[in-house]
mmCIF file of all heavy atoms in Angstrom:
data_model
loop_
_atom_site.group_PDB
_atom_site.id
_atom_site.type_symbol
_atom_site.label_atom_id
_atom_site.label_comp_id
_atom_site.label_asym_id
_atom_site.label_seq_id
_atom_site.Cartn_x
_atom_site.Cartn_y
_atom_site.Cartn_z
ATOM 1 N N VAL A 1 11.930 38.788 -32.785
ATOM 2 C CA VAL A 1 11.347 38.315 -34.029
ATOM 3 C C VAL A 1 10.809 39.535 -34.762
ATOM 4 O O VAL A 1 9.957 40.228 -34.275
ATOM 5 C CB VAL A 1 10.201 37.261 -33.754
ATOM 6 C CG1 VAL A 1 9.526 36.867 -35.093
ATOM 7 C CG2 VAL A 1 10.802 36.030 -33.125
ATOM 8 N N GLY A 2 11.300 39.751 -35.923
ATOM 9 C CA GLY A 2 10.948 40.943 -36.703
ATOM 10 C C GLY A 2 9.490 41.028 -37.184
ATOM 11 O O GLY A 2 8.804 39.975 -37.176
ATOM 12 N N GLN A 3 9.098 42.192 -37.536
ATOM 13 C CA GLN A 3 7.756 42.404 -38.062
ATOM 14 C C GLN A 3 7.412 41.567 -39.291
ATOM 15 O O GLN A 3 6.277 41.228 -39.575
ATOM 16 C CB GLN A 3 7.524 43.902 -38.365
ATOM 17 C CG GLN A 3 7.418 44.728 -37.102
ATOM 18 C CD GLN A 3 6.151 44.460 -36.364
ATOM 19 O OE1 GLN A 3 5.802 43.384 -35.987
ATOM 20 N NE2 GLN A 3 5.351 45.510 -36.216
ATOM 21 N N LEU A 4 8.405 41.229 -40.061
ATOM 22 C CA LEU A 4 8.218 40.461 -41.278
ATOM 23 C C LEU A 4 7.476 39.185 -40.960
ATOM 24 O O LEU A 4 6.555 38.817 -41.704
ATOM 25 C CB LEU A 4 9.589 40.133 -41.908
ATOM 26 C CG LEU A 4 9.597 39.163 -43.060
ATOM 27 C CD1 LEU A 4 8.806 39.752 -44.231
ATOM 28 C CD2 LEU A 4 11.008 38.849 -43.503
ATOM 29 N N TYR A 5 7.797 38.500 -39.888
ATOM 30 C CA TYR A 5 7.175 37.221 -39.553
ATOM 31 C C TYR A 5 5.742 37.393 -39.149
ATOM 32 O O TYR A 5 4.885 36.557 -39.426
ATOM 33 C CB TYR A 5 7.967 36.503 -38.444
ATOM 34 C CG TYR A 5 9.393 36.196 -38.893
ATOM 35 C CD1 TYR A 5 10.440 37.042 -38.508
ATOM 36 C CD2 TYR A 5 9.665 35.186 -39.790
ATOM 37 C CE1 TYR A 5 11.739 36.819 -38.976
ATOM 38 C CE2 TYR A 5 10.938 34.923 -40.233
ATOM 39 C CZ TYR A 5 11.962 35.731 -39.804
ATOM 40 O OH TYR A 5 13.252 35.552 -40.251
ATOM 41 N N SER A 6 5.402 38.518 -38.506
ATOM 42 C CA SER A 6 3.980 38.723 -38.094
ATOM 43 C C SER A 6 3.098 39.030 -39.301
ATOM 44 O O SER A 6 1.844 38.909 -39.193
ATOM 45 C CB SER A 6 3.894 39.865 -37.086
ATOM 46 O OG SER A 6 4.269 41.066 -37.665
ATOM 47 N N GLN A 7 3.687 39.358 -40.459
ATOM 48 C CA GLN A 7 2.916 39.566 -41.667
ATOM 49 C C GLN A 7 2.655 38.326 -42.455
ATOM 50 O O GLN A 7 1.868 38.322 -43.376
ATOM 51 C CB GLN A 7 3.648 40.658 -42.516
ATOM 52 C CG GLN A 7 3.726 41.962 -41.886
ATOM 53 C CD GLN A 7 4.647 42.876 -42.635
ATOM 54 O OE1 GLN A 7 5.091 42.606 -43.769
ATOM 55 N NE2 GLN A 7 4.943 44.060 -42.054
ATOM 56 N N LEU A 8 3.291 37.236 -42.091
ATOM 57 C CA LEU A 8 3.084 35.922 -42.717
ATOM 58 C C LEU A 8 1.819 35.254 -42.139
ATOM 59 O O LEU A 8 1.468 35.528 -40.994
ATOM 60 C CB LEU A 8 4.335 35.066 -42.575
ATOM 61 C CG LEU A 8 5.607 35.612 -43.215
ATOM 62 C CD1 LEU A 8 6.778 34.733 -42.910
ATOM 63 C CD2 LEU A 8 5.405 35.742 -44.711
ATOM 64 N N PRO A 9 1.226 34.378 -42.899
ATOM 65 C CA PRO A 9 -0.035 33.818 -42.456
ATOM 66 C C PRO A 9 0.051 32.658 -41.417
ATOM 67 O O PRO A 9 -0.450 31.533 -41.623
ATOM 68 C CB PRO A 9 -0.658 33.278 -43.791
ATOM 69 C CG PRO A 9 0.518 32.894 -44.573
ATOM 70 C CD PRO A 9 1.577 33.893 -44.264
ATOM 71 N N PHE A 10 0.753 32.963 -40.352
ATOM 72 C CA PHE A 10 0.840 31.950 -39.256
ATOM 73 C C PHE A 10 -0.405 31.987 -38.367
ATOM 74 O O PHE A 10 -0.940 33.039 -38.084
ATOM 75 C CB PHE A 10 2.082 32.225 -38.370
ATOM 76 C CG PHE A 10 3.385 31.935 -39.085
ATOM 77 C CD1 PHE A 10 4.232 32.995 -39.378
ATOM 78 C CD2 PHE A 10 3.744 30.643 -39.372
ATOM 79 C CE1 PHE A 10 5.443 32.690 -40.050
ATOM 80 C CE2 PHE A 10 4.920 30.344 -40.013
ATOM 81 C CZ PHE A 10 5.813 31.375 -40.363
ATOM 82 N N SER A 11 -0.808 30.846 -37.924
ATOM 83 C CA SER A 11 -1.975 30.757 -36.993
ATOM 84 C C SER A 11 -1.494 31.109 -35.553
ATOM 85 O O SER A 11 -2.304 31.486 -34.770
ATOM 86 C CB SER A 11 -2.558 29.338 -37.009
ATOM 87 O OG SER A 11 -3.114 29.065 -38.274
ATOM 88 N N GLY A 12 -0.241 30.948 -35.350
ATOM 89 C CA GLY A 12 0.297 31.266 -34.009
ATOM 90 C C GLY A 12 1.844 31.246 -34.029
ATOM 91 O O GLY A 12 2.448 30.915 -35.098
ATOM 92 N N MET A 13 2.398 31.674 -32.942
ATOM 93 C CA MET A 13 3.836 31.708 -32.812
ATOM 94 C C MET A 13 4.238 31.242 -31.402
ATOM 95 O O MET A 13 3.564 31.553 -30.445
ATOM 96 C CB MET A 13 4.398 33.144 -33.027
ATOM 97 C CG MET A 13 4.077 33.664 -34.385
ATOM 98 S SD MET A 13 4.893 35.241 -34.682
ATOM 99 C CE MET A 13 4.393 35.622 -36.331
ATOM 100 N N ILE A 14 5.276 30.432 -31.414
ATOM 101 C CA ILE A 14 5.814 29.880 -30.119
ATOM 102 C C ILE A 14 7.222 30.535 -29.954
ATOM 103 O O ILE A 14 8.063 30.359 -30.821
ATOM 104 C CB ILE A 14 5.929 28.407 -30.150
ATOM 105 C CG1 ILE A 14 4.534 27.815 -30.413
ATOM 106 C CG2 ILE A 14 6.536 27.872 -28.885
ATOM 107 C CD1 ILE A 14 4.477 26.337 -30.670
ATOM 108 N N PHE A 15 7.378 31.283 -28.916
ATOM 109 C CA PHE A 15 8.636 32.016 -28.645
ATOM 110 C C PHE A 15 9.382 31.430 -27.445
ATOM 111 O O PHE A 15 8.758 30.681 -26.638
ATOM 112 C CB PHE A 15 8.336 33.490 -28.322
ATOM 113 C CG PHE A 15 7.593 34.254 -29.387
ATOM 114 C CD1 PHE A 15 6.263 34.532 -29.248
ATOM 115 C CD2 PHE A 15 8.227 34.618 -30.551
ATOM 116 C CE1 PHE A 15 5.568 35.227 -30.275
ATOM 117 C CE2 PHE A 15 7.590 35.273 -31.592
ATOM 118 C CZ PHE A 15 6.236 35.584 -31.415
ATOM 119 N N SER A 16 10.631 31.752 -27.338
ATOM 120 C CA SER A 16 11.415 31.426 -26.180
ATOM 121 C C SER A 16 11.374 29.925 -25.830
ATOM 122 O O SER A 16 11.212 29.568 -24.671
ATOM 123 C CB SER A 16 11.045 32.275 -24.960
ATOM 124 O OG SER A 16 11.161 33.641 -25.246
ATOM 125 N N SER A 17 11.418 29.118 -26.885
ATOM 126 C CA SER A 17 11.413 27.677 -26.722
ATOM 127 C C SER A 17 10.202 27.185 -25.948
ATOM 128 O O SER A 17 10.259 26.273 -25.154
ATOM 129 C CB SER A 17 12.701 27.184 -26.033
ATOM 130 O OG SER A 17 13.807 27.552 -26.821
ATOM 131 N N GLY A 18 9.075 27.849 -26.143
ATOM 132 C CA GLY A 18 7.799 27.437 -25.557
ATOM 133 C C GLY A 18 7.387 28.236 -24.336
ATOM 134 O O GLY A 18 6.323 28.021 -23.793
ATOM 135 N N ALA A 19 8.198 29.182 -23.904
ATOM 136 C CA ALA A 19 7.830 29.968 -22.719
ATOM 137 C C ALA A 19 6.714 30.959 -23.051
ATOM 138 O O ALA A 19 5.999 31.397 -22.112
ATOM 139 C CB ALA A 19 9.041 30.765 -22.212
ATOM 140 N N GLN A 20 6.486 31.290 -24.298
ATOM 141 C CA GLN A 20 5.399 32.173 -24.689
ATOM 142 C C GLN A 20 4.755 31.594 -25.936
ATOM 143 O O GLN A 20 5.401 31.269 -26.923
ATOM 144 C CB GLN A 20 5.886 33.594 -24.999
ATOM 145 C CG GLN A 20 4.768 34.511 -25.351
ATOM 146 C CD GLN A 20 5.244 35.944 -25.652
ATOM 147 O OE1 GLN A 20 6.426 36.179 -25.718
ATOM 148 N NE2 GLN A 20 4.299 36.828 -25.847
ATOM 149 N N ILE A 21 3.412 31.495 -25.906
ATOM 150 C CA ILE A 21 2.657 31.023 -27.049
ATOM 151 C C ILE A 21 1.565 32.012 -27.386
ATOM 152 O O ILE A 21 0.787 32.419 -26.509
ATOM 153 C CB ILE A 21 2.069 29.633 -26.742
ATOM 154 C CG1 ILE A 21 3.140 28.639 -26.416
ATOM 155 C CG2 ILE A 21 1.210 29.146 -27.980
ATOM 156 C CD1 ILE A 21 2.641 27.264 -25.946
ATOM 157 N N VAL A 22 1.526 32.406 -28.659
ATOM 158 C CA VAL A 22 0.551 33.354 -29.160
ATOM 159 C C VAL A 22 -0.209 32.650 -30.254
ATOM 160 O O VAL A 22 0.360 32.093 -31.175
ATOM 161 C CB VAL A 22 1.217 34.645 -29.730
ATOM 162 C CG1 VAL A 22 0.195 35.578 -30.294
ATOM 163 C CG2 VAL A 22 2.015 35.309 -28.647
ATOM 164 N N ILE A 23 -1.550 32.621 -30.096
ATOM 165 C CA ILE A 23 -2.398 32.014 -31.156
ATOM 166 C C ILE A 23 -3.407 33.050 -31.559
ATOM 167 O O ILE A 23 -4.092 33.603 -30.722
ATOM 168 C CB ILE A 23 -3.088 30.747 -30.617
ATOM 169 C CG1 ILE A 23 -2.027 29.682 -30.232
ATOM 170 C CG2 ILE A 23 -4.062 30.195 -31.693
ATOM 171 C CD1 ILE A 23 -2.611 28.436 -29.646
ATOM 172 N N GLN A 24 -3.484 33.291 -32.890
ATOM 173 C CA GLN A 24 -4.387 34.302 -33.410
ATOM 174 C C GLN A 24 -4.241 35.636 -32.702
ATOM 175 O O GLN A 24 -5.248 36.242 -32.321
ATOM 176 C CB GLN A 24 -5.845 33.810 -33.397
ATOM 177 C CG GLN A 24 -6.093 32.552 -34.197
ATOM 178 C CD GLN A 24 -5.858 32.645 -35.694
ATOM 179 O OE1 GLN A 24 -5.748 33.761 -36.249
ATOM 180 N NE2 GLN A 24 -5.716 31.508 -36.369
ATOM 181 N N SER A 25 -3.054 36.057 -32.506
ATOM 182 C CA SER A 25 -2.710 37.328 -31.844
ATOM 183 C C SER A 25 -3.059 37.397 -30.354
ATOM 184 O O SER A 25 -2.973 38.461 -29.743
ATOM 185 C CB SER A 25 -3.334 38.516 -32.599
ATOM 186 O OG SER A 25 -2.913 38.548 -33.938
ATOM 187 N N GLU A 26 -3.468 36.289 -29.785
ATOM 188 C CA GLU A 26 -3.785 36.238 -28.338
ATOM 189 C C GLU A 26 -2.713 35.496 -27.574
ATOM 190 O O GLU A 26 -2.348 34.359 -27.942
ATOM 191 C CB GLU A 26 -5.142 35.554 -28.121
ATOM 192 C CG GLU A 26 -5.534 35.532 -26.675
ATOM 193 C CD GLU A 26 -6.874 34.796 -26.434
ATOM 194 O OE1 GLU A 26 -7.666 34.664 -27.381
ATOM 195 O OE2 GLU A 26 -7.070 34.352 -25.320
ATOM 196 N N ASN A 27 -2.198 36.137 -26.539
ATOM 197 C CA ASN A 27 -1.167 35.482 -25.727
ATOM 198 C C ASN A 27 -1.856 34.422 -24.855
ATOM 199 O O ASN A 27 -2.529 34.761 -23.937
ATOM 200 C CB ASN A 27 -0.497 36.568 -24.862
ATOM 201 C CG ASN A 27 0.853 36.185 -24.399
ATOM 202 O OD1 ASN A 27 1.381 35.139 -24.747
ATOM 203 N ND2 ASN A 27 1.474 37.065 -23.594
ATOM 204 N N VAL A 28 -1.672 33.129 -25.190
ATOM 205 C CA VAL A 28 -2.338 32.057 -24.468
ATOM 206 C C VAL A 28 -1.425 31.401 -23.427
ATOM 207 O O VAL A 28 -1.966 30.682 -22.545
ATOM 208 C CB VAL A 28 -2.884 30.992 -25.414
ATOM 209 C CG1 VAL A 28 -3.921 31.581 -26.347
ATOM 210 C CG2 VAL A 28 -1.789 30.317 -26.191
ATOM 211 N N HIS A 29 -0.123 31.618 -23.476
ATOM 212 C CA HIS A 29 0.761 31.101 -22.470
ATOM 213 C C HIS A 29 1.958 31.972 -22.349
ATOM 214 O O HIS A 29 2.562 32.382 -23.336
ATOM 215 C CB HIS A 29 1.229 29.642 -22.860
ATOM 216 C CG HIS A 29 2.260 29.083 -21.971
ATOM 217 N ND1 HIS A 29 1.928 28.559 -20.717
ATOM 218 C CD2 HIS A 29 3.571 28.920 -22.131
ATOM 219 C CE1 HIS A 29 3.091 28.122 -20.156
ATOM 220 N NE2 HIS A 29 4.070 28.379 -21.001
ATOM 221 N N PHE A 30 2.366 32.262 -21.099
ATOM 222 C CA PHE A 30 3.551 33.036 -20.842
ATOM 223 C C PHE A 30 4.162 32.586 -19.537
ATOM 224 O O PHE A 30 3.455 32.584 -18.486
ATOM 225 C CB PHE A 30 3.306 34.542 -20.830
ATOM 226 C CG PHE A 30 4.519 35.326 -20.635
ATOM 227 C CD1 PHE A 30 5.414 35.565 -21.692
ATOM 228 C CD2 PHE A 30 4.910 35.858 -19.419
ATOM 229 C CE1 PHE A 30 6.596 36.280 -21.555
ATOM 230 C CE2 PHE A 30 6.062 36.572 -19.242
ATOM 231 C CZ PHE A 30 6.908 36.786 -20.297
ATOM 232 N N HIS A 31 5.369 32.140 -19.538
ATOM 233 C CA HIS A 31 6.035 31.694 -18.346
ATOM 234 C C HIS A 31 7.419 32.308 -18.319
ATOM 235 O O HIS A 31 8.303 31.926 -19.005
ATOM 236 C CB HIS A 31 6.175 30.165 -18.260
ATOM 237 C CG HIS A 31 6.793 29.683 -16.992
ATOM 238 N ND1 HIS A 31 6.068 29.623 -15.827
ATOM 239 C CD2 HIS A 31 8.045 29.274 -16.732
ATOM 240 C CE1 HIS A 31 6.904 29.202 -14.850
ATOM 241 N NE2 HIS A 31 8.084 28.952 -15.383
ATOM 242 N N ALA A 32 7.537 33.380 -17.530
ATOM 243 C CA ALA A 32 8.795 34.111 -17.403
ATOM 244 C C ALA A 32 9.723 33.374 -16.415
ATOM 245 O O ALA A 32 9.246 32.666 -15.482
ATOM 246 C CB ALA A 32 8.563 35.527 -16.933
ATOM 247 N N PHE A 33 10.987 33.583 -16.591
ATOM 248 C CA PHE A 33 11.964 33.062 -15.642
ATOM 249 C C PHE A 33 11.797 33.781 -14.342
ATOM 250 O O PHE A 33 11.802 35.007 -14.303
ATOM 251 C CB PHE A 33 13.376 33.312 -16.228
ATOM 252 C CG PHE A 33 14.452 32.409 -15.739
ATOM 253 C CD1 PHE A 33 14.671 31.126 -16.303
ATOM 254 C CD2 PHE A 33 15.293 32.805 -14.674
ATOM 255 C CE1 PHE A 33 15.670 30.361 -15.818
ATOM 256 C CE2 PHE A 33 16.287 31.996 -14.233
ATOM 257 C CZ PHE A 33 16.478 30.745 -14.842
ATOM 258 N N PRO A 34 11.641 33.056 -13.199
ATOM 259 C CA PRO A 34 11.433 33.724 -11.899
ATOM 260 C C PRO A 34 12.547 34.648 -11.581
ATOM 261 O O PRO A 34 13.741 34.269 -11.733
ATOM 262 C CB PRO A 34 11.325 32.562 -10.907
ATOM 263 C CG PRO A 34 11.034 31.375 -11.736
ATOM 264 C CD PRO A 34 11.608 31.596 -13.088
ATOM 265 N N ILE A 35 12.278 35.855 -11.138
ATOM 266 C CA ILE A 35 13.322 36.876 -10.924
ATOM 267 C C ILE A 35 14.287 36.431 -9.853
ATOM 268 O O ILE A 35 15.473 36.676 -9.968
ATOM 269 C CB ILE A 35 12.697 38.259 -10.518
ATOM 270 C CG1 ILE A 35 13.721 39.372 -10.594
ATOM 271 C CG2 ILE A 35 11.988 38.174 -9.156
ATOM 272 C CD1 ILE A 35 14.228 39.681 -11.949
#
């Protein structure tokens, strides 16, 4: 996800179909695929 999106006024971002959730620049959830 490019820098352009981080400059927009989003309260948070949900990445990888929900595997990572960032709210107000704080990583509140991260679930990586088990190695």
Side-chain angles (χ1 to χ4, degrees):
V1 175
Q3 288 289 57
L4 171 62
Y5 300 99
S6 65
Q7 296 171 7
L8 297 175
F10 289 111
S11 295
M13 297 186 180
I14 300 170
F15 301 106
S16 303
S17 300
Q20 181 182 8
I21 301 172
V22 177
I23 298 176
Q24 300 296 344
S25 301
E26 181 183 338
N27 203 4
V28 297
H29 174 76
F30 183 79
H31 183 77
F33 203 83
I35 193 69

